[in-house]
């Protein structure tokens, strides 16, 4: 059966606008529900929302905000956050500082890798999140050290797989979905995709044996994969970001690697991807480009105006182009089917979590501090015996 023909009863009842909403995850400003935000969510009916530190002032506040978002949307929301630990930590002011991936990896303990995922997952669940855009699967090559820093754990792909597998297991035990990133790999990228378009001049054969090993090995264990905004001209013969590349998303990730989970973009407002489109319609074009290339979920994390324009552009393109309309329906169907399976009320991810009490937050803060101490002791002991 062709994936494009798979439709749920819910999907049949939805308008094309709501189907298109299922290929978007959106961010916004503010720390509480407002008429403007409620209107945005109600009109677009997105697949998910993502919160940043700017949206989070307290544990109960974040939980309440996410619950209010869900009330505006008919389907279960992906409630997303970037919580890698170290430099990427949206809960620092609420629960405390989380050790970095590199610090945890330095212990060499697979038990601690798994516990790391569980601790992060429990913190996410307590605040109402069900998706964490982690772990980072980029290899820690010297070329990207100034950009990736402690976010990447090793230049050995087998070690990255061992770490990520345990992290994902711990995250999943807490009822949180993980997302491997940044496909096909930023290990050789010398520029920050938030601001510029890096170009990695590495042939597919070397990428296959190095950077792509984590995605190949974990293809059945990754609920989601995030595609980067780096260009790989030796593979695509052009400077198109991977996030807009059918060669990377459909031909390599879907077909050659055989990945069957959800594929999302990195933030489509980043300078690295916007550089690939005409400035006057950049966000609209890159959102359409990501879905056309085979992506399931486009992330637009900041400006409401960009979100509205991208949504309208997707609707217009689906009405104009039958092939693109089928592509949207395929991804929307995949997202809805994934949600139905994942958010079953009997599953850990599907169960609602109560608003965190002060006592619960204090317990999580203590647990996080104790975990940090455990990491320091384990690293010291390993260095002593080296």
């Amino acid at each position: 059966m062709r994936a494009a023909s798979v439709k749920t009863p819910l999907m049949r009842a939805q308008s094309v606008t709501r189907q298109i909403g299922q290929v978007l995850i959106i961010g916004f400003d503010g720390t509480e529900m407002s008429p403007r935000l409620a209107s945005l969510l109600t009109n677009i009916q997105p697949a998910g929302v993502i919160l940043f530190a700017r949206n989070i002032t307290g544990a109960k506040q974040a939980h309440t905000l996410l619950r209010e978002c869900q009330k505006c949307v008919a389907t279960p929301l992906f409630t997303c956050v970037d919580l890698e630990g170290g430099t990427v930590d949206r809960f620092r002011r609420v629960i405390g500082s989380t050790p970095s991936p590199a610090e945890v990896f330095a212990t060499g303990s697979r038990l601690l890798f798994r516990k790391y995922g569980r601790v992060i997952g429990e913190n996410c669940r307590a605040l109402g999140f069900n998706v964490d855009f982690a772990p980072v699967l980029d290899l820690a090559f010297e070329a990207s050290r100034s950009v990736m820093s402690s976010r990447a754990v090793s230049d050995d792909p087998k070690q990255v797989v061992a770490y990520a597998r345990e992290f994902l297991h711990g995250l999943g035990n807490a009822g949180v979905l993980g997302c491997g990133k940044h496909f096909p790999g930023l290990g050789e990228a010398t520029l920050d995709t938030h601001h510029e378009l890096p170009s990695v001049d590495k042939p597919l054969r070397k990428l296959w044996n190095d950077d792509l090993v984590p995605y190949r090995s974990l293809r059945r264990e990754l609920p989601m994969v995030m595609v980067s905004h780096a260009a790989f001209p030796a593979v695509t013969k052009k400077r198109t970001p991977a996030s807009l590349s059918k060669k990377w998303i459909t031909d390599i990730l879907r077909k050659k690697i055989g990945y069957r989970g959800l594929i999302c973009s990195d933030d489509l407002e980043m300078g690295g991807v916007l550089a690939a489109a005409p400035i006057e319609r950049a966000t609209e074009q890159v959102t359409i480009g990501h879905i056309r290339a085979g992506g399931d979920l486009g992330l637009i994390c900041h400006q409401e105006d960009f979100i509205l324009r991208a949504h309208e552009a997707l609707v217009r393109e689906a009405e104009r182009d039958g092939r693109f309309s089928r592509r949207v329906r395929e991804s929307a169907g995949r997202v809805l089917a994934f949600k139905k399976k994942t958010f079953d009320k009997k599953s850990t991810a599907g169960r609602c979590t109560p608003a965190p009490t002060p006592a619960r937050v204090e317990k999580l803060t203590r647990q996080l501090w104790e975990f940090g101490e455990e990491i320091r002791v384990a690293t010291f002991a390993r260095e002593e015996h080296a």
Side-chain angles (χ1 to χ4, degrees):
M1 181 184 290
R2 289 183 348 191
S5 66
V6 178
K7 298 177 184 176
T8 66
L10 175 62
M11 190 173 175
R12 292 191 191 99
Q14 288 180 325
S15 67
V16 66
T17 302
R18 291 197 175 190
Q19 288 180 36
I20 284 175
Q22 287 303 304
V23 301
L24 292 174
I25 292 176
I26 66 173
F28 51 85
D29 289 329
T31 58
E32 60 185 12
M33 183 55 64
S34 66
R36 190 182 187 108
L37 175 57
S39 175
L40 179 69
L41 293 167
T42 302
N43 290 333
I44 290 181
Q45 293 291 301
V49 296
I50 179 168
L51 300 193
F52 292 84
R54 68 177 187 266
N55 304 115
I56 302 170
T57 60
K60 186 176 180 181
Q61 168 270 332
H63 188 280
T64 300
L65 177 57
L66 292 172
R67 191 175 63 226
E68 292 297 313
C69 288
Q70 181 63 78
K71 289 178 182 178
C72 298
V73 180
T75 59
L77 277 173
F78 292 127
T79 49
C80 312
V81 69
D82 278 313
L83 184 51
E84 301 169 12
T87 58
V88 182
D89 184 354
R90 313 305 187 200
F91 297 171
R92 188 178 290 114
R93 294 179 301 172
V94 177
I95 296 178
S97 296
T98 306
S100 72
E103 289 171 327
V104 176
F105 180 78
T107 67
S109 168
R110 296 196 180 193
L111 289 176
L112 289 177
F113 301 167
R114 182 174 295 203
K115 187 174 182 179
Y116 187 39
R118 180 176 60 78
V119 168
I120 285 179
E122 288 178 358
N123 291 345
C124 288
R125 284 292 286 170
L127 271 66
F129 295 95
N130 56 35
V131 175
D132 181 18
F133 288 129
V136 167
L137 301 180
D138 304 315
L139 302 186
F141 291 131
E142 184 64 36
S144 62
R145 185 156 299 174
S146 64
V147 177
M148 297 306 295
S149 184
S150 60
R151 299 175 69 191
V153 299
S154 176
D155 60 3
D156 181 344
K158 292 182 180 178
Q159 292 296 320
V160 173
V161 169
Y163 160 78
R165 177 169 282 134
E166 296 301 331
F167 179 90
L168 286 164
H169 199 99
L171 205 62
N173 285 344
V176 174
L177 303 169
C179 176
K181 61 186 188 184
H182 306 82
F183 179 87
L186 295 178
E188 303 274 12
T190 57
L191 300 175
D192 187 345
T193 57
H194 288 82
H195 310 292
E196 300 173 88
L197 173 62
S199 183
V200 178
D201 197 18
K202 193 172 183 178
L204 181 57
R205 178 179 52 81
K206 282 189 64 64
L207 287 162
W208 187 260
N209 292 327
D210 294 336
D211 307 70
L212 292 175
V213 168
Y215 298 97
R216 292 166 52 201
S217 301
L218 300 168
R219 66 186 182 279
R220 294 188 179 90
E221 297 162 66
L222 287 165
M224 297 183 183
V225 166
M226 178 181 287
V227 187
S228 77
H229 300 321
F232 296 81
V235 178
T236 63
K237 311 306 178 189
K238 52 182 80 169
R239 282 178 53 82
T240 303
S243 53
L244 307 183
S245 169
K246 184 175 181 290
K247 173 83 172 178
W248 275 116
I249 296 175
T250 298
D251 297 346
I252 297 176
L253 183 54
R254 279 283 184 226
K255 295 179 180 178
K256 190 174 177 68
I257 292 177
Y259 181 65
R260 295 290 175 262
L262 298 182
I263 299 174
C264 68
S265 72
D266 209 338
D267 183 7
L268 292 170
E269 292 177 271
M270 286 182 177
V273 69
L274 294 181
I279 189 66
E280 65 275 6
R281 293 194 301 131
T283 305
E284 297 96 308
Q285 291 303 306
V286 298
T287 306
I288 290 170
H290 176 67
I291 302 303
R292 195 187 298 281
D296 298 311
L297 294 160
L299 269 68
I300 308 178
C301 298
H302 299 278
Q303 297 189 47
E304 179 183 343
D305 182 48
F306 284 2
I307 294 165
L308 290 169
R309 281 163 37 197
H311 182 258
E312 289 168 5
L314 287 167
V315 172
R316 285 195 305 270
E317 190 68 10
E319 291 172 345
R320 186 194 68 82
D321 183 342
R323 182 178 293 182
F324 183 72
S325 179
R326 290 190 294 275
R327 176 78 276 287
V328 168
R329 289 173 184 272
E330 178 186 359
S331 280
R334 185 180 289 121
V335 169
L336 288 168
F338 182 95
K339 287 181 175 181
K340 184 177 181 181
K341 179 181 178 181
T342 304
F343 297 139
D344 181 282
K345 291 184 179 179
K346 295 179 182 177
S347 70
T348 309
R351 288 199 295 267
C352 292
T353 56
T357 62
R360 173 66 172 152
V361 175
E362 185 178 343
K363 183 178 180 181
L364 292 171
T365 299
R366 180 72 184 180
Q367 176 180 262
L368 184 59
W369 180 84
E370 289 175 349
F371 179 71
E373 290 301 299
E374 194 173 0
I375 294 303
R376 279 184 277 277
V377 169
T379 303
F380 180 75
R382 190 183 190 203
E383 290 171 348
E384 283 287 290
H385 289 92

